[in-house]
Amino acid sequence: MAAPGTLPLRPSPPAATLQPAGSAANPSVRLVTGFAAFGAGIVNLAISSTFFAAGSPGPGSILAGVVAGLWGTALLAGAVAFLAKDRLGGNRWARYALAGAAAAHLALIVFPASTTSGLRLTQLSALLLTLMIMAALGWLRRRSLQQDSAQQASAEQASAQQPAEAGPRPGRLLVAAFAGAVLVAGITTPGLAASTAGQYAVPHGQHGNLAPGGHHQR
């Protein structure tokens, strides 16, 4: 019982541990990584179509087209799996593959072949998107290691009570999705336009059936 003239002491609330500064940014970085993988896959498929569209392609061009097509398909499939699963993607072999792809894009920019002389902008777009994927995966891996070490340190303190981590805010995810989409589109679009698929694309406003004389058929 409290003494007269004194207020009863209330139990102090449990001390809350601070959440990591990058925990709310992890979903945003994951979105940008997935968008960059989608863009890189599409650009590599455009590079593959350019190799096959070359007149009388030799064995080297056919092999390069097959490799670019398989790599673009792998990037698209990897982006879907990365965004669908709530875990860190990109093991050691994936990092080696991304580094090899970046080196190949850089080599084709610096030393272009006869069939790839007009693909410098497309190769540059693929290189930038690949570097974005590598940087984002490296950042996510470092944040994952830091969060694991912080959880282990807090678990050793018996008196510390860590509250449930709040989920990401929808507004931040929406802003991150919009900014990531605009950034990836700004890099992907010039690369696609410089490829063979972009050069033979029908401009907007000119779609429709054309008569043999070249005029629109009514």
Side-chain angles (χ1 to χ4, degrees):
M1 187 172 181
T6 61
L7 295 176
L9 297 178
R10 297 181 179 178
S12 58
T17 59
L18 296 177
Q19 298 179 1
S23 61
N26 287 350
S28 304
V29 178
R30 289 182 65 89
L31 280 176
V32 176
T33 307
F35 290 162
F38 276 118
I42 296 173
V43 172
N44 277 276
L45 290 179
I47 293 174
S48 175
S49 66
T50 303
F51 279 114
F52 286 116
S56 300
S61 298
I62 294 177
L63 178 60
V66 170
V67 172
L70 292 177
W71 176 241
T73 305
L75 285 173
L76 293 177
V80 173
F82 178 75
L83 294 177
K85 297 180 180 179
D86 190 13
R87 65 180 182 181
L88 181 62
N91 53 16
R92 180 179 61 182
W93 300 110
R95 295 195 299 270
Y96 289 162
L98 289 169
H105 292 312
L106 182 60
L108 290 175
I109 293 173
V110 178
F111 306 104
S114 59
T115 57
T116 61
S117 58
L119 286 177
R120 285 186 174 180
L121 185 57
T122 307
Q123 297 287 353
L124 179 60
S125 298
L127 175 62
L128 293 178
L129 292 171
T130 305
L131 294 178
M132 284 180 59
I133 299 171
M134 296 174 60
L137 287 179
W139 189 90
L140 288 172
R141 184 170 297 276
R142 287 194 301 269
R143 292 305 304 174
S144 178
L145 294 176
Q146 292 176 3
Q147 291 178 3
D148 291 341
S149 61
Q151 290 177 359
Q152 293 177 0
S154 62
E156 294 176 355
Q157 300 176 357
S159 58
Q161 298 181 1
Q162 185 175 2
E165 185 176 348
R169 297 181 180 179
R172 293 183 179 181
L173 284 180
L174 182 60
V175 173
F178 177 77
V182 171
L183 177 61
V184 172
I187 299 175
T188 306
T189 303
L192 292 178
S195 64
T196 302
Q199 293 175 2
Y200 285 96
V202 179
H204 294 287
Q206 298 183 10
H207 297 277
N209 296 326
L210 294 178
H215 300 284
H216 285 282
Q217 187 175 5
R218 298 181 182 273

PDB file of all heavy atoms in Angstrom, residues 43-44 46-47 105 118-127 190-195:
ATOM      1  N   VAL A  43      15.474  -7.378 -72.776  1.00  0.00           N
ATOM      2  CA  VAL A  43      16.538  -6.837 -73.623  1.00  0.00           C
ATOM      3  C   VAL A  43      17.400  -7.963 -74.191  1.00  0.00           C
ATOM      4  O   VAL A  43      17.800  -7.931 -75.368  1.00  0.00           O
ATOM      5  CB  VAL A  43      17.385  -5.831 -72.814  1.00  0.00           C
ATOM      6  CG1 VAL A  43      18.615  -5.412 -73.610  1.00  0.00           C
ATOM      7  CG2 VAL A  43      16.555  -4.594 -72.476  1.00  0.00           C
ATOM      8  N   ASN A  44      17.688  -8.990 -73.401  1.00  0.00           N
ATOM      9  CA  ASN A  44      18.478 -10.108 -73.908  1.00  0.00           C
ATOM     10  C   ASN A  44      17.726 -10.893 -74.979  1.00  0.00           C
ATOM     11  O   ASN A  44      18.336 -11.397 -75.929  1.00  0.00           O
ATOM     12  CB  ASN A  44      18.876 -11.029 -72.756  1.00  0.00           C
ATOM     13  CG  ASN A  44      20.100 -10.539 -72.013  1.00  0.00           C
ATOM     14  OD1 ASN A  44      21.231 -10.788 -72.420  1.00  0.00           O
ATOM     15  ND2 ASN A  44      19.870  -9.813 -70.932  1.00  0.00           N
ATOM     16  N   ALA A  46      15.689  -9.467 -77.040  1.00  0.00           N
ATOM     17  CA  ALA A  46      15.831  -8.610 -78.218  1.00  0.00           C
ATOM     18  C   ALA A  46      17.203  -8.776 -78.860  1.00  0.00           C
ATOM     19  O   ALA A  46      17.335  -8.770 -80.092  1.00  0.00           O
ATOM     20  CB  ALA A  46      15.597  -7.147 -77.823  1.00  0.00           C
ATOM     21  N   ILE A  47      18.240  -8.942 -78.040  1.00  0.00           N
ATOM     22  CA  ILE A  47      19.580  -9.200 -78.587  1.00  0.00           C
ATOM     23  C   ILE A  47      19.602 -10.533 -79.333  1.00  0.00           C
ATOM     24  O   ILE A  47      20.190 -10.653 -80.414  1.00  0.00           O
ATOM     25  CB  ILE A  47      20.617  -9.190 -77.447  1.00  0.00           C
ATOM     26  CG1 ILE A  47      20.737  -7.782 -76.849  1.00  0.00           C
ATOM     27  CG2 ILE A  47      21.972  -9.672 -77.940  1.00  0.00           C
ATOM     28  CD1 ILE A  47      21.628  -7.707 -75.627  1.00  0.00           C
ATOM     29  N   HIS A 105      28.526  -8.344 -71.853  1.00  0.00           N
ATOM     30  CA  HIS A 105      27.937  -7.113 -72.401  1.00  0.00           C
ATOM     31  C   HIS A 105      28.995  -6.030 -72.555  1.00  0.00           C
ATOM     32  O   HIS A 105      29.027  -5.317 -73.570  1.00  0.00           O
ATOM     33  CB  HIS A 105      26.816  -6.613 -71.487  1.00  0.00           C
ATOM     34  CG  HIS A 105      25.608  -7.517 -71.462  1.00  0.00           C
ATOM     35  ND1 HIS A 105      25.018  -7.994 -72.600  1.00  0.00           N
ATOM     36  CD2 HIS A 105      24.871  -8.007 -70.424  1.00  0.00           C
ATOM     37  CE1 HIS A 105      23.983  -8.750 -72.289  1.00  0.00           C
ATOM     38  NE2 HIS A 105      23.872  -8.776 -70.972  1.00  0.00           N
ATOM     39  N   GLY A 118      25.667  -2.507 -84.310  1.00  0.00           N
ATOM     40  CA  GLY A 118      24.524  -1.633 -84.050  1.00  0.00           C
ATOM     41  C   GLY A 118      23.809  -1.931 -82.752  1.00  0.00           C
ATOM     42  O   GLY A 118      22.725  -1.381 -82.516  1.00  0.00           O
ATOM     43  N   LEU A 119      24.395  -2.786 -81.922  1.00  0.00           N
ATOM     44  CA  LEU A 119      23.754  -3.181 -80.664  1.00  0.00           C
ATOM     45  C   LEU A 119      24.437  -2.577 -79.444  1.00  0.00           C
ATOM     46  O   LEU A 119      24.251  -3.078 -78.337  1.00  0.00           O
ATOM     47  CB  LEU A 119      23.751  -4.708 -80.528  1.00  0.00           C
ATOM     48  CG  LEU A 119      22.766  -5.473 -81.402  1.00  0.00           C
ATOM     49  CD1 LEU A 119      22.955  -6.972 -81.201  1.00  0.00           C
ATOM     50  CD2 LEU A 119      21.338  -5.078 -81.056  1.00  0.00           C
ATOM     51  N   ARG A 120      25.216  -1.532 -79.636  1.00  0.00           N
ATOM     52  CA  ARG A 120      25.924  -0.961 -78.487  1.00  0.00           C
ATOM     53  C   ARG A 120      24.951  -0.400 -77.458  1.00  0.00           C
ATOM     54  O   ARG A 120      25.132  -0.604 -76.251  1.00  0.00           O
ATOM     55  CB  ARG A 120      26.893   0.125 -78.952  1.00  0.00           C
ATOM     56  CG  ARG A 120      28.147  -0.423 -79.616  1.00  0.00           C
ATOM     57  CD  ARG A 120      29.136   0.683 -79.912  1.00  0.00           C
ATOM     58  NE  ARG A 120      30.390   0.126 -80.426  1.00  0.00           N
ATOM     59  CZ  ARG A 120      31.446   0.884 -80.764  1.00  0.00           C
ATOM     60  NH1 ARG A 120      31.384   2.202 -80.655  1.00  0.00           N
ATOM     61  NH2 ARG A 120      32.549   0.300 -81.204  1.00  0.00           N
ATOM     62  N   LEU A 121      23.922   0.299 -77.905  1.00  0.00           N
ATOM     63  CA  LEU A 121      22.947   0.851 -76.968  1.00  0.00           C
ATOM     64  C   LEU A 121      22.146  -0.259 -76.290  1.00  0.00           C
ATOM     65  O   LEU A 121      21.850  -0.183 -75.095  1.00  0.00           O
ATOM     66  CB  LEU A 121      22.011   1.817 -77.691  1.00  0.00           C
ATOM     67  CG  LEU A 121      21.003   2.580 -76.821  1.00  0.00           C
ATOM     68  CD1 LEU A 121      21.718   3.362 -75.731  1.00  0.00           C
ATOM     69  CD2 LEU A 121      20.140   3.509 -77.669  1.00  0.00           C
ATOM     70  N   THR A 122      21.824  -1.294 -77.038  1.00  0.00           N
ATOM     71  CA  THR A 122      21.104  -2.424 -76.447  1.00  0.00           C
ATOM     72  C   THR A 122      21.980  -3.158 -75.435  1.00  0.00           C
ATOM     73  O   THR A 122      21.516  -3.529 -74.345  1.00  0.00           O
ATOM     74  CB  THR A 122      20.655  -3.394 -77.551  1.00  0.00           C
ATOM     75  OG1 THR A 122      19.936  -2.670 -78.552  1.00  0.00           O
ATOM     76  CG2 THR A 122      19.753  -4.467 -76.979  1.00  0.00           C
ATOM     77  N   GLN A 123      23.246  -3.360 -75.779  1.00  0.00           N
ATOM     78  CA  GLN A 123      24.164  -3.991 -74.836  1.00  0.00           C
ATOM     79  C   GLN A 123      24.382  -3.118 -73.603  1.00  0.00           C
ATOM     80  O   GLN A 123      24.515  -3.630 -72.476  1.00  0.00           O
ATOM     81  CB  GLN A 123      25.511  -4.265 -75.517  1.00  0.00           C
ATOM     82  CG  GLN A 123      25.464  -5.235 -76.668  1.00  0.00           C
ATOM     83  CD  GLN A 123      25.274  -6.677 -76.224  1.00  0.00           C
ATOM     84  OE1 GLN A 123      25.300  -6.981 -75.040  1.00  0.00           O
ATOM     85  NE2 GLN A 123      25.071  -7.568 -77.188  1.00  0.00           N
ATOM     86  N   LEU A 124      24.413  -1.803 -73.795  1.00  0.00           N
ATOM     87  CA  LEU A 124      24.572  -0.894 -72.658  1.00  0.00           C
ATOM     88  C   LEU A 124      23.371  -0.978 -71.720  1.00  0.00           C
ATOM     89  O   LEU A 124      23.528  -0.980 -70.493  1.00  0.00           O
ATOM     90  CB  LEU A 124      24.767   0.537 -73.159  1.00  0.00           C
ATOM     91  CG  LEU A 124      24.931   1.617 -72.074  1.00  0.00           C
ATOM     92  CD1 LEU A 124      26.147   1.327 -71.205  1.00  0.00           C
ATOM     93  CD2 LEU A 124      25.032   2.998 -72.708  1.00  0.00           C
ATOM     94  N   SER A 125      22.169  -1.062 -72.290  1.00  0.00           N
ATOM     95  CA  SER A 125      20.973  -1.203 -71.453  1.00  0.00           C
ATOM     96  C   SER A 125      21.016  -2.512 -70.668  1.00  0.00           C
ATOM     97  O   SER A 125      20.715  -2.539 -69.463  1.00  0.00           O
ATOM     98  CB  SER A 125      19.715  -1.155 -72.327  1.00  0.00           C
ATOM     99  OG  SER A 125      19.599   0.081 -72.991  1.00  0.00           O
ATOM    100  N   ALA A 126      21.405  -3.597 -71.339  1.00  0.00           N
ATOM    101  CA  ALA A 126      21.509  -4.879 -70.644  1.00  0.00           C
ATOM    102  C   ALA A 126      22.580  -4.840 -69.564  1.00  0.00           C
ATOM    103  O   ALA A 126      22.399  -5.416 -68.475  1.00  0.00           O
ATOM    104  CB  ALA A 126      21.816  -5.984 -71.653  1.00  0.00           C
ATOM    105  N   LEU A 127      23.687  -4.152 -69.815  1.00  0.00           N
ATOM    106  CA  LEU A 127      24.745  -4.043 -68.819  1.00  0.00           C
ATOM    107  C   LEU A 127      24.273  -3.265 -67.582  1.00  0.00           C
ATOM    108  O   LEU A 127      24.508  -3.686 -66.441  1.00  0.00           O
ATOM    109  CB  LEU A 127      25.968  -3.366 -69.438  1.00  0.00           C
ATOM    110  CG  LEU A 127      27.131  -3.054 -68.490  1.00  0.00           C
ATOM    111  CD1 LEU A 127      27.696  -4.328 -67.891  1.00  0.00           C
ATOM    112  CD2 LEU A 127      28.209  -2.262 -69.212  1.00  0.00           C
ATOM    113  N   PRO A 190      15.217   2.490 -74.585  1.00  0.00           N
ATOM    114  CA  PRO A 190      16.203   2.792 -75.642  1.00  0.00           C
ATOM    115  C   PRO A 190      16.922   1.550 -76.160  1.00  0.00           C
ATOM    116  O   PRO A 190      17.237   1.474 -77.357  1.00  0.00           O
ATOM    117  CB  PRO A 190      17.182   3.753 -74.944  1.00  0.00           C
ATOM    118  CG  PRO A 190      16.422   4.322 -73.804  1.00  0.00           C
ATOM    119  CD  PRO A 190      15.518   3.234 -73.338  1.00  0.00           C
ATOM    120  N   GLY A 191      17.187   0.594 -75.268  1.00  0.00           N
ATOM    121  CA  GLY A 191      17.841  -0.631 -75.719  1.00  0.00           C
ATOM    122  C   GLY A 191      16.977  -1.438 -76.666  1.00  0.00           C
ATOM    123  O   GLY A 191      17.465  -1.977 -77.665  1.00  0.00           O
ATOM    124  N   LEU A 192      15.684  -1.535 -76.366  1.00  0.00           N
ATOM    125  CA  LEU A 192      14.783  -2.253 -77.268  1.00  0.00           C
ATOM    126  C   LEU A 192      14.625  -1.521 -78.594  1.00  0.00           C
ATOM    127  O   LEU A 192      14.533  -2.146 -79.657  1.00  0.00           O
ATOM    128  CB  LEU A 192      13.417  -2.423 -76.601  1.00  0.00           C
ATOM    129  CG  LEU A 192      13.353  -3.351 -75.379  1.00  0.00           C
ATOM    130  CD1 LEU A 192      11.947  -3.361 -74.805  1.00  0.00           C
ATOM    131  CD2 LEU A 192      13.789  -4.756 -75.742  1.00  0.00           C
ATOM    132  N   ALA A 193      14.588  -0.191 -78.551  1.00  0.00           N
ATOM    133  CA  ALA A 193      14.431   0.576 -79.790  1.00  0.00           C
ATOM    134  C   ALA A 193      15.629   0.432 -80.706  1.00  0.00           C
ATOM    135  O   ALA A 193      15.494   0.493 -81.936  1.00  0.00           O
ATOM    136  CB  ALA A 193      14.201   2.048 -79.455  1.00  0.00           C
ATOM    137  N   ALA A 194      16.823   0.214 -80.130  1.00  0.00           N
ATOM    138  CA  ALA A 194      18.023   0.074 -80.946  1.00  0.00           C
ATOM    139  C   ALA A 194      18.199  -1.326 -81.510  1.00  0.00           C
ATOM    140  O   ALA A 194      19.051  -1.528 -82.389  1.00  0.00           O
ATOM    141  CB  ALA A 194      19.261   0.441 -80.127  1.00  0.00           C
ATOM    142  N   SER A 195      17.432  -2.288 -81.045  1.00  0.00           N
ATOM    143  CA  SER A 195      17.551  -3.657 -81.553  1.00  0.00           C
ATOM    144  C   SER A 195      16.775  -3.811 -82.857  1.00  0.00           C
ATOM    145  O   SER A 195      16.048  -2.911 -83.299  1.00  0.00           O
ATOM    146  CB  SER A 195      17.032  -4.648 -80.507  1.00  0.00           C
ATOM    147  OG  SER A 195      15.655  -4.458 -80.277  1.00  0.00           O
TER     148      SER A 195
END
